[in-house]
Amino acid sequence: MSVYDHPDFDNHEKVLFATDEASGLKAILAVHSTARGPAVGGCRMWTYENSSEALTDVLRLSQGMSFKNVLADLPIGGGKSVIMKPAGAFDRTALFEAFGRALNALNGEYMSAEDVGTSPEDIKVANRVTQHVVGLPSGTGDPSPVTAKGVFLGIEASADRALGKSTLSGVKIAVQGATGHVGAYLVRRLHEAGAELFLSDIREDALKALATETGATIVEDPDAIYDVQADIFTPCALGGIINDETIDRLKVKVVAGAANNQLRTREMGAELMKRGILYAPDYVINAGGIINVMGDIDPQFDAGWVEGKLLGLKATLGEIFDLSENEGRPINDIADEIARRRIARAVAANADAA
Ligand code: NAD
């Protein structure tokens, strides 16, 4: 497996492969950029087929964190970690202590929070052996409600732009991963705003309960979510779901959701544009969680600051939409360019100061 030649390597500053035989830990910690501060991003635990798949995931997620953090104008860099979930039974406490020791090897260049497959409680276990964690239950805790709020604001801005709707009342929204940490908070907000909801998830009981609570329609086959005749598709489960197999099935005017790395390839952004579908870049509108976690790094980042930053996300999204319209170029390319420019500026400023 090649690392430096990996298509998603993108000049990562560091990639640490950590193993601990006793606990079964196999983790990859990726630091994309520390130009603007210590890299911060969650730790994902997932059943990967092999280490190549885990490497691809962590590199893409880590770059996404860099772009997310810089577009939200946070004084941190971007990184991410993945744990290859051990097959069969394992000692979760021993695993996350071993993960904490791996964090120590990076000397604070990377700080981990929770992500898919991990929880603030796991991060608390890692905290027994390392200080390089954020999002503890005793701190800012679960970032999901704030992520959901940012995504909601992004959906509002997208509906305004693509549908000419100043509210979400009566807007048809298909949510994938509706009962997840972010999905459930978001669905309740969308319901309160009067949206007509179509929900999918693989957790049938939770889905039934949420649909009953919100008067939503259940999409029985999770794969059929791509075919729903709606105004907006809101992915809140997996990455890579906008791809050659799904794009022509979409019958919506907007894709805007919480899931990281929604576009399987960069070209999918141009394909959405060709089809007249407005794309709200995932890392722009799902930054609420990381914004909230900043309170663990410095108390000056309080609730009022978080609110201001969430409104800032909406403004940034509007600027990206404007540039895309004016220049006739895909929205994701515009967002990536702004992020890269800002990181390059920080690298140059650091070099000048050295
Ligand atoms: P989660 O694991 O709680 O939720 C994911 C949901 O998707 C689960 O309910 C799961 O059952 C469902 N799901 C899985 N496969 C599915 C399928 N094929 N079809 C339909 N549903 C399916 O995760 P989360 O924390 O809510 O995060 C959701 C997404 O948002 C992830 O991509 C994550 O990286 C991203 N994200 C989360 C946060 C946060 O604050 N939690 C912040 C930024 C981005």
Side-chain angles (χ1 to χ4, degrees):
M1 175 187 27
S2 156
V3 178
Y4 292 116
D5 300 330
H6 192 289
D8 298 304
F9 183 65
D10 194 37
N11 286 317
H12 265 73
E13 287 179 17
K14 282 189 184 152
V15 180
L16 173 72
F17 292 82
T19 52
D20 176 66
E21 211 178 341
S23 63
L25 179 79
K26 285 187 180 144
I28 312 177
L29 291 72
V31 178
H32 181 259
S33 170
T34 57
R36 291 168 55 99
V40 184
C43 170
R44 175 169 295 193
M45 183 156 72
W46 195 250
T47 302
Y48 293 101
E49 288 287 313
N50 50 49
S51 53
S52 299
E53 199 182 278
L55 179 66
T56 299
D57 204 27
V58 77
L59 291 175
R60 295 197 67 196
L61 289 165
S62 167
Q63 184 211 50
M65 283 311 298
S66 259
F67 288 6
K68 182 185 311 199
N69 296 344
V70 75
L71 275 183
D73 199 16
L74 303 178
I76 51 175
K80 198 95 178 184
S81 49
V82 297
I83 295 176
M84 297 180 68
K85 190 171 183 181
F90 62 95
D91 179 342
R92 203 165 174 110
T93 301
L95 193 81
F96 279 92
E97 282 182 355
F99 175 67
R101 289 192 293 277
L103 286 170
N104 283 336
L106 289 170
N107 294 316
E109 284 179 54
Y110 166 63
M111 299 171 82
S112 181
E114 55 97 45
D115 191 63
V116 175
T118 64
S119 70
E121 288 301 324
D122 296 323
I123 298 304
K124 188 174 162 189
V125 172
N127 186 221
R128 291 180 189 170
V129 299
T130 184
Q131 294 304 308
H132 307 310
V133 288
V134 285
L136 291 166
S138 58
T140 54
D142 182 8
S144 308
V146 188
T147 301
K149 185 166 185 188
V151 174
F152 177 83
L153 293 173
I155 291 174
E156 272 189 335
S158 304
D160 189 12
R161 183 70 59 133
L163 312 169
K165 296 264 194 182
S166 58
T167 79
L168 295 177
S169 181
V171 174
K172 293 185 175 144
I173 305 183
V175 184
Q176 180 181 50
T179 75
H181 285 103
V182 180
Y185 284 111
L186 181 60
V187 162
R188 291 190 178 103
R189 269 188 187 273
L190 294 171
H191 171 59
E192 278 165 24
E196 189 182 333
L197 296 168
F198 302 83
L199 310 181
S200 82
D201 204 291
I202 51 174
R203 302 191 306 173
E204 288 177 16
D205 290 347
L207 185 59
K208 241 178 240 163
L210 187 65
T212 305
E213 180 190 328
T214 58
T217 302
I218 290 178
V219 180
E220 298 285 351
D221 172 5
D223 184 59
I225 194 78
Y226 304 107
D227 307 313
V228 173
Q229 186 82 50
D231 299 303
I232 300 177
F233 172 45
T234 295
C236 293
L238 316 162
I241 37 78
I242 306 294
N243 55 51
D244 286 330
E245 290 85 57
T246 59
I247 195 161
D248 282 323
R249 294 168 58 189
L250 297 178
K251 297 175 180 69
V252 293
K253 286 274 166 233
V254 174
V255 173
N260 282 311
N261 297 339
Q262 290 165 28
L263 308 182
R264 183 172 293 168
T265 60
R266 182 183 155 205
E267 290 69 37
M268 284 296 128
E271 293 300 321
L272 285 173
M273 189 177 176
K274 261 192 226 160
R275 289 160 177 77
I277 300 174
L278 184 80
Y279 170 59
D282 43 25
Y283 62 76
V284 176
I285 67 168
N286 72 11
I290 190 76
I291 288 171
N292 194 52
V293 154
M294 292 302 292
D296 289 348
I297 295 176
D298 192 321
Q300 67 167 306
F301 303 122
D302 59 10
W305 178 88
V306 170
E307 282 302 307
K309 277 287 176 195
L310 290 178
L311 293 176
L313 294 184
K314 201 170 177 176
T316 302
L317 185 65
E319 286 162 24
I320 292 169
F321 286 160
D322 286 345
L323 281 170
S324 167
E325 266 172 40
N326 294 342
E327 297 178 17
R329 293 195 299 126
I331 291 167
N332 59 315
D333 287 353
I334 302 275
D336 285 4
E337 273 171 27
I338 298 173
R340 285 187 189 286
R341 224 174 12 241
R342 288 191 188 175
I343 293 170
R345 220 180 286 146
V347 170
N350 292 342
D352 283 350

